[in-house]
Amino acid sequence: MSKTSTVPKLSELLTENTILIKASVLDWKDAVKKSGELLVNTGAAEPRYVEAMIKFCEEHHAYIVIAPGIAIPHARPEDGMKRVGFSLVTLEKPVYFGHAQNDPVDLVVALGAPDNSSHIKALAELAQLLSNNEVVEKIRRARQKQEILELLPKGEEA
């Protein structure tokens, strides 16, 4: 397997199958569960990874709420990741994770990898994407998955 095939780009990970728009959730646990189920449904993660993400959130509280309204739930590679996976869920109504400044959350991006490095390229692309407030607002307002897919970086291989 070549090195480039083990280091996917964000546009290869966020697809029609890994995006859920305007999800209705009960609370933060339900939001994390929905984001994790997308990873499981695409074969990137085992079901136990979803529970591990929830446990990680419980142990580390609002650590995963990285910016106003944005949470990035994840767990350890050994918690059931089979391959690199990202999912994106926008919420119909924001939920509280317990973060003093960045709650409530309406954008949940779950991620995981089978190791500590194969997700780095996509994570860097995600960080750049989420640092653009205009793009984040477009993601929040999206009514169709294609609207989000069009915002993803289309960078060519170097």
Side-chain angles (χ1 to χ4, degrees), residues 59-72:
E59 291 172 358
H60 299 279
H61 304 288
Y63 159 79
I64 65 157
V65 183
I66 58 141
I70 302 172
I72 301 186

Side-chain angles (χ1 to χ4, degrees), residues 45-83:
E46 297 172 18
R48 67 188 177 100
Y49 190 77
V50 179
E51 291 306 315
M53 287 194 308
I54 291 170
K55 184 177 180 188
F56 184 90
C57 293
E58 289 172 340
E59 291 172 358
H60 299 279
H61 304 288
Y63 159 79
I64 65 157
V65 183
I66 58 141
I70 302 172
I72 301 186
H74 57 282
R76 302 286 309 148
E78 61 271 16
D79 289 330
M81 284 306 294
K82 298 180 194 176
R83 61 178 167 77

Side-chain angles (χ1 to χ4, degrees), residues 57-111:
C57 293
E58 289 172 340
E59 291 172 358
H60 299 279
H61 304 288
Y63 159 79
I64 65 157
V65 183
I66 58 141
I70 302 172
I72 301 186
H74 57 282
R76 302 286 309 148
E78 61 271 16
D79 289 330
M81 284 306 294
K82 298 180 194 176
R83 61 178 167 77
V84 179
F86 281 50
S87 69
L88 185 149
V89 178
T90 63
L91 303 179
E92 185 65 43
K93 293 181 183 171
V95 295
Y96 288 84
F97 277 75
H99 194 284
Q101 290 83 36
N102 293 334
D103 267 344
V105 168
D106 64 350
L107 179 55
V108 180
V109 183
L111 60 92

Side-chain angles (χ1 to χ4, degrees), residues 3 7 15 17 19 25 33 39 46 57 67 74 78 84 107 122 126-127 131 150:
K3 182 68 174 162
V7 185
T15 66
N17 295 326
I19 296 174
V25 298
K33 184 177 178 189
L39 298 176
E46 297 172 18
C57 293
H74 57 282
E78 61 271 16
V84 179
L107 179 55
L126 178 67
S131 70
E150 289 171 2

Side-chain angles (χ1 to χ4, degrees), residues 2 34 45 47 50 63 76 78 108 117 120-121 124 128 145 157:
S2 73
K34 283 200 184 332
V50 179
Y63 159 79
R76 302 286 309 148
E78 61 271 16
V108 180
S117 62
I120 298 299
K121 179 180 181 77
Q128 185 172 5
K145 295 176 183 183
E157 287 295 322

